[in-house]
Each structure stands twice: as C-alpha cells, then as structure tokens.
Amino acid sequence: MTANYISAFAINSRGDIFAGTFNEGVFRSTDIGNNWTQINNGLTYPWVTALAINNSDHIFAGTQGAGVFRSMDNGTIWVKTGSLTNGDVSCLAINSGGDIFAGTRGSGVFLSTNNGTNWTPTGLINRTVTCLAINNSNGDIFAGTDNEGVFRSRDNGKNWTKKNSGLPSTPIYSLAINSNGVVFAAAQNGGVFRSTNDGDSWTPTSLTNTWILSLAMNSDGIIFAGTLYDGAFRSTNNGDNWTQINNGLKATYVHSLAINDSGYIFAGTWGSSVFRSVKSTNVSAPTTPTLAFPLDGAVNQPTRLTLNWNPSTDAETYRLQVSNTSAFTTTVFDDSTITNASRQVGPVANNTTYYWRVKAKN
C-alpha cells in the first residue's frame, strides 16, 4: 500500500480487510494485507475517517466533509448515502439489527434504519463525537466526545446520559466492549479506563499517562491499545497489566487497530502505512514454572494458604489449578489470569490431600 495515513479498518465475513486513508480513499486486501488495491470508484471524497460493515457485508465509509458512502459489492462501486445535515463524520457503528450510527463533528450522532438512505438526528446533538461502541448483548450505545467524556443510550439513541464518574472530561478517542460487557475508554493523555457496570463508574487501568488513539479486542478478550507516541500495548487481564509490543512496529503513531478471525492484528499508522503482527508461533514459549511452596508432601497446612512458584522467563500470565485428584479430573480452584508467582487459595477441607499445578503463558 502506498498510502501513509491510515485512519480506519473494517473486516468482512470473508476476511477481506478494508483500510480508510486520509486523502487516498479506501484500499482492500484479500490476502491478510500482503497486497492492497485502491477501490475508489464512486467515492468522490477521499478523506475517509471511519469504516463499518453490516451483517450483509455492505461497507460504509464516513468522510471528513461529504457524509457517508456505501458499497454493496465489496468496494467495487461506492454511492453516496442520504444527506446528513453535517457531513463531517468521525465514526460509525452498526448494531446487530443493522441500524447505523454516525458520529459527527459538532452535530452529535445520527441514525439510519434503512442502510443509509435516510439519516435522522438522535438525542445526542450539538457535540463532537469521536468514537462509538455498541454492547450487542443489551443494545446499549456508548459515544465518546471531544471534551465531555462518555454518553450512553439505552433506547437506540433517543435519549443519552452522561457517564463520567471517575472518567476525566477529556477527549475520548476510542471505545471497546468485551463479551462480558466490560467497557474500555481511551482518554487523551490519560490512558485506558475501564467500567464493569455499563459505564456507571470508571476506574483507570495500569496504562496511564499515555495518549491512546485506538483500542481493539480479540475473541479471547485480549485488548490492544495504539498510542500517539509509544506504539502498541497489550493486556491479557482486562487492563490490570499492559505489555508494550513494538517488535517490528516501525511507527509509534498507531491511529487504528483491527483483528481478524485468525488472530492477526493490523496496525494502521500515520507515516508508515499498515503493519501486521507476526503469528504467535514465532514467540519464544515461557520457561516451565517450578513449584516452591508448599513442598511436595507437606502436611498440616492451613485451610487458607498461599501457593508460590518461581517466576518463568517470558511469562505474561499463569494458570493455577488445585484438585483433590492427582489426575485433575475435577478442580476446586482454577484461575488463568494470574500475573504474579503466587496465589492465595481456600478455604479447603481438613484431612484432605490436594494437588496443584501451574502453567505459564504468553
């Protein structure tokens, strides 16, 4: 790809990747990013700021000044959708029913229920909306704004409520929601925040004092963050810990992220085009953990005790299992989100033999 400023990604059901760019329209790759084709037939305005794909694989492209364009043939031909009162579109989102939401600069959120033929304003008006995310398990819509934090709608956009408890009122550049309904918000120069109660309150994750531009989540719930100055980060435990993952990423300005069904991560940068992650088979496996305490065969242990093991080189998380059978056919404790080399368990039963084991993972 010759374009240097990647603003947005979308991936269809066949795995084709679409990249929106500033000033060069849309590119498509059918081979996981090895080759790209510019597909601008009918796309009369090349400043593409947002992309979204519905369940019918219709592609929608939001632009910075000309509204929304639609392609029903995998990007071969584009047509302009119904007129928006504000054509400066910053973000797009589509719910499970096919309703399309467009966030604009200065005019709030618009809704189309007919594939973009018509657009109507929602209850969130007169605001610059920077990002949108939809919790498909309950239909809640979240909108990030440029200076008022996050708003939530529980009635398909008719009414919105500001949800900023614990969240700084700074520009929110990206939102992501995992399968358990945990919402993540990227705040300008404030890092990533997390809400476990549908936005009613927010707490900072351990990624702070960093300018986050983009968030993406894979099917395992691992979350990735693209930054303005520091490249990309990854968290395997809901944001409790983050690891910088810049090996081979030659640009630190990661404006957009996408993940396909095969687990490849695509990073759209400003200045160095698109990067694709290397498959995990090229990463060294962590060393085998060594159990330290209690010792094998130890007796007279408390019913609530701390299990300790020696840290493994290159480990990011550990899985600890405790069972009352040596074959581990059943477990009384199983936790795969541990980041330290110890874990308290219990209470366990008296006069019972227990077995434990630990696995390291990256």
Side-chain angles (χ1 to χ4, degrees):
M1 183 189 295
T2 59
N4 286 327
Y5 299 98
I6 313 300
S7 54
F9 285 118
I11 301 175
N12 68 14
S13 62
R14 295 187 295 273
D16 298 338
I17 310 160
F18 299 85
T21 70
F22 277 11
N23 201 36
E24 296 186 65
V26 176
F27 290 76
R28 179 184 62 212
S29 175
T30 60
D31 56 3
I32 61 171
N34 292 321
N35 298 281
W36 295 86
T37 302
Q38 197 171 23
I39 48 171
N40 287 348
N41 188 9
L43 188 66
T44 57
Y45 199 83
W47 293 83
V48 176
T49 53
L51 290 170
I53 298 178
N54 68 12
N55 291 332
S56 300
D57 275 345
H58 298 163
I59 313 163
F60 298 85
T63 66
Q64 188 177 328
V68 177
F69 290 77
R70 179 186 67 222
S71 175
M72 302 174 69
D73 55 8
N74 214 38
T76 302
I77 299 174
W78 297 87
V79 295
K80 195 174 186 302
T81 68
S83 296
L84 287 165
T85 55
N86 183 344
D88 197 350
V89 177
S90 54
C91 51
L92 294 169
I94 303 177
N95 67 15
S96 57
D99 297 335
I100 311 166
F101 297 87
T104 66
R105 290 178 172 86
S107 299
V109 177
F110 290 78
L111 165 66
S112 175
T113 59
N114 55 10
N115 240 16
T117 301
N118 303 102
W119 296 89
T120 57
T122 68
L124 189 62
I125 60 174
N126 299 328
R127 289 176 173 88
T128 292
V129 177
T130 53
C131 52
L132 292 165
I134 299 175
N135 186 345
N136 284 319
S137 65
N138 60 15
D140 288 354
I141 311 164
F142 292 85
T145 65
D146 69 335
N147 59 9
E148 294 185 73
V150 173
F151 289 77
R152 183 187 68 201
S153 174
R154 288 185 157 170
D155 54 9
N156 219 41
K158 293 179 182 178
N159 298 282
W160 296 81
T161 305
K162 187 182 291 188
K163 291 293 177 181
N164 282 352
S165 178
L167 191 69
S169 295
T170 58
I172 305 298
Y173 283 128
S174 188
L175 292 162
I177 305 174
N178 70 14
S179 59
N180 295 320
V182 180
V183 189
F184 296 85
Q188 175 183 312
N189 209 26
V192 178
F193 288 75
R194 176 180 62 208
S195 174
T196 59
N197 53 13
D198 219 26
D200 287 337
S201 61
W202 300 85
T203 57
T205 69
S206 64
L207 187 58
T208 59
N209 300 319
T210 302
W211 199 314
I212 310 295
L213 298 174
S214 52
L215 296 171
M217 196 168 304
N218 69 11
S219 57
D220 294 325
I222 298 174
I223 188 167
F224 299 83
T227 72
L228 177 60
Y229 301 114
D230 300 312
F233 290 80
R234 175 184 62 213
S235 175
T236 61
N237 54 9
N238 265 0
D240 288 339
N241 303 94
W242 294 84
T243 303
Q244 196 171 31
I245 48 170
N246 287 348
N247 186 13
L249 187 63
K250 298 177 182 179
T252 59
Y253 193 138
V254 181
H255 190 274
S256 51
L257 291 166
I259 305 172
N260 69 6
D261 289 339
S262 298
Y264 282 107
I265 308 155
F266 299 87
T269 66
W270 281 34
S272 298
S273 199
V274 176
F275 290 83
R276 181 186 67 213
S277 67
V278 177
K279 294 292 279 188
S280 59
T281 51
N282 291 330
V283 177
S284 298
T287 57
T288 302
T290 303
L291 307 187
F293 181 84
L295 298 175
D296 188 22
V299 296
N300 298 322
Q301 299 299 304
T303 57
R304 190 182 298 275
L305 74 161
T306 299
L307 305 179
N308 295 272
W309 55 93
N310 294 319
S312 299
T313 303
D314 294 327
E316 293 180 356
T317 59
Y318 298 95
R319 182 177 185 180
L320 167 65
Q321 290 183 322
V322 179
S323 176
N324 52 18
T325 65
S326 60
F328 288 83
T329 52
T330 60
T331 57
V332 297
F333 183 88
D334 191 343
D335 187 354
S336 60
T337 65
I338 303 170
T339 57
N340 298 314
S342 66
R343 184 69 160 85
Q344 187 181 76
V345 299
V348 294
N350 285 314
N351 302 315
T352 304
T353 299
Y354 288 95
Y355 305 83
W356 64 291
R357 63 185 181 185
V358 177
K359 178 169 66 175
K361 184 178 179 181
N362 64 15

